[in-house]
């Protein structure tokens, strides 16, 4: 009986951990495409302009996000898709995309 109780408890804790990870938010760092890999650029602190542009891109695509002290946070589950994050990064830095979609673009410093 103890064996099944322990196994059930372990299964519940695992499920809760997975759900927590999927729905928790993480800071958005730009993603680069180098060779065949997507690389997270978390070395530099993101500029206010980048975060402002990113908010507009995420709003355009109806992506759920939070702002914490001016830094964009998105769900872990979504951030795990590095190709999509690369796409959002490129658009947040692309003045032409903003012009085509009639948004104000904040130049990166």
């Amino acid at each position: 009986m103890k064996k099944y109780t322990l196994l059930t408890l372990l299964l519940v804790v695992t499920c809760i951990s997975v759900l927590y990870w999927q729905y928790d938010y993480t800071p958005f760092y730009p993603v680069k495409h180098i060779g065949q890999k997507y690389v997270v650029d978390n070395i530099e602190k993101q500029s206010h302009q980048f975060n402002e542009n990113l908010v507009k891109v995420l709003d355009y695509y109806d992506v759920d996000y939070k702002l914490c002290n001016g830094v964009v946070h998105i769900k872990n589950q979504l951030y795990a898709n590095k190709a999509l994050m690369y796409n959002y990064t490129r658009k947040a830095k692309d003045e032409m995309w903003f012009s085509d979609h009639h948004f104000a673009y904040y130049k990166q410093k």
Side-chain angles (χ1 to χ4, degrees), residues 49-64:
Q49 291 85 3
F50 175 80
N51 284 309
E52 289 289 321
N53 292 342
L54 182 60
V55 163
K56 291 177 184 178
V57 171
L58 296 176
D59 281 341
Y60 180 81
Y61 288 105
D62 199 28
V63 175
D64 184 27

Side-chain angles (χ1 to χ4, degrees), residues 39-95:
V39 179
V40 176
D41 183 11
N42 60 356
I43 295 172
E44 288 186 37
K45 183 181 177 212
Q46 294 314 307
S47 70
H48 177 72
Q49 291 85 3
F50 175 80
N51 284 309
E52 289 289 321
N53 292 342
L54 182 60
V55 163
K56 291 177 184 178
V57 171
L58 296 176
D59 281 341
Y60 180 81
Y61 288 105
D62 199 28
V63 175
D64 184 27
Y65 66 89
K66 291 182 180 179
L67 280 174
C68 249
N69 297 325
V71 176
V72 176
H73 288 67
I74 62 172
K75 290 185 178 177
N76 284 326
Q77 182 179 16
L78 183 63
Y79 195 68
N81 183 342
K82 297 303 181 221
L84 182 60
M85 297 307 103
Y86 171 68
N87 188 17
Y88 292 155
T89 299
R90 281 188 30 235
K91 287 181 174 149
K93 294 180 175 185
D94 184 359
E95 189 172 357

